[in-house]
Amino acid sequence: MPKKKKKSPGTLAENRKARHDFNIEDTIEAGIALKGTEIKSIRRGSANLKDSYAQVSKGEIFLQNMHIAPYEEGNQFNHDPRRSRKLLLHKKEILKLGDRTREIGYSIVPLKLYLKHGNCKVLLGVARGKKKYDKRQALKEKAVKRDVDREMKARY
């Protein structure tokens, strides 16, 4: 049975599929504006970054399609699980990201959601989509590396 991958302390959610589907060229850390029930649900580990992306509009940047499960004890104050959430960045950084995404083939993808000094942060990556043959090549390289590591472990 394969071992479960350990998350680093403070990491609440990770988008591992993004590294498979995209070439990450640049990363940037951003704060995220959340409601009270959202942060409680995130701290429980009920966040999912799969299929989410960031979008620049009207000088602001928003995280779209990120799922945060409703908080059980939240009653009438609960949030919409897939609402768009505002990201907190400096204006220069937002403009820079906007310029990069106007180029064909680039998008902003959240890579990791974590706590830093009690605040929830998201690690964004400026990414270019991989072609199908690039994905196959990456899988082959991963399999070869795994085989080499297995052989080295057996020898020593």
Side-chain angles (χ1 to χ4, degrees), residues 111-141:
L111 302 173
K112 192 162 70 167
L113 189 68
Y114 56 95
L115 290 175
K116 185 175 180 182
H117 305 297
N119 296 324
C120 190
K121 304 281 184 178
V122 63
L123 184 68
L124 299 173
V126 178
R128 178 173 226 141
K130 282 186 184 177
K131 303 282 189 233
K132 203 170 204 172
Y133 57 84
D134 289 334
K135 292 179 191 177
R136 284 194 296 256
Q137 184 65 31
L139 287 174
K140 285 179 190 175
E141 289 171 4

Side-chain angles (χ1 to χ4, degrees), residues 16-23 128-131 135:
R16 293 186 312 189
K17 192 150 177 71
R19 300 223 184 253
H20 175 72
D21 291 340
F22 297 98
N23 286 325
R128 178 173 226 141
K130 282 186 184 177
K131 303 282 189 233
K135 292 179 191 177

Side-chain angles (χ1 to χ4, degrees), residues 51-55 62-66 82-85:
D51 298 330
S52 59
Y53 60 95
Q55 192 173 30
F62 293 93
L63 189 60
Q64 307 287 338
N65 213 19
M66 180 175 120
R82 289 210 181 262
R83 75 176 185 93
S84 60
R85 293 162 180 93

Side-chain angles (χ1 to χ4, degrees), residues 10-105:
T11 301
L12 302 169
E14 199 166 357
N15 190 356
R16 293 186 312 189
K17 192 150 177 71
R19 300 223 184 253
H20 175 72
D21 291 340
F22 297 98
N23 286 325
I24 309 298
E25 295 187 2
D26 192 19
T27 59
I28 190 165
E29 181 183 76
I32 183 167
L34 297 170
K35 293 184 176 178
T37 55
E38 287 177 327
I39 190 65
K40 289 179 181 183
S41 186
I42 286 173
R43 284 178 188 266
R44 279 194 176 169
S46 304
N48 190 353
L49 293 174
K50 184 180 170 190
D51 298 330
S52 59
Y53 60 95
Q55 192 173 30
V56 177
S57 65
K58 298 179 184 172
E60 295 179 331
I61 186 165
F62 293 93
L63 189 60
Q64 307 287 338
N65 213 19
M66 180 175 120
H67 185 270
I68 299 175
Y71 187 61
E72 288 90 29
E73 292 83 27
N75 61 39
Q76 70 192 31
F77 301 108
N78 246 329
H79 59 276
D80 178 29
R82 289 210 181 262
R83 75 176 185 93
S84 60
R85 293 162 180 93
K86 188 175 180 179
L87 296 177
L88 309 172
L89 287 169
H90 291 285
K91 192 167 210 108
K92 276 186 189 177
E93 294 171 327
I94 294 172
L95 293 174
K96 186 173 124 184
L97 286 174
D99 290 341
R100 292 290 299 272
T101 55
R102 282 190 204 95
E103 296 174 29
I104 294 175

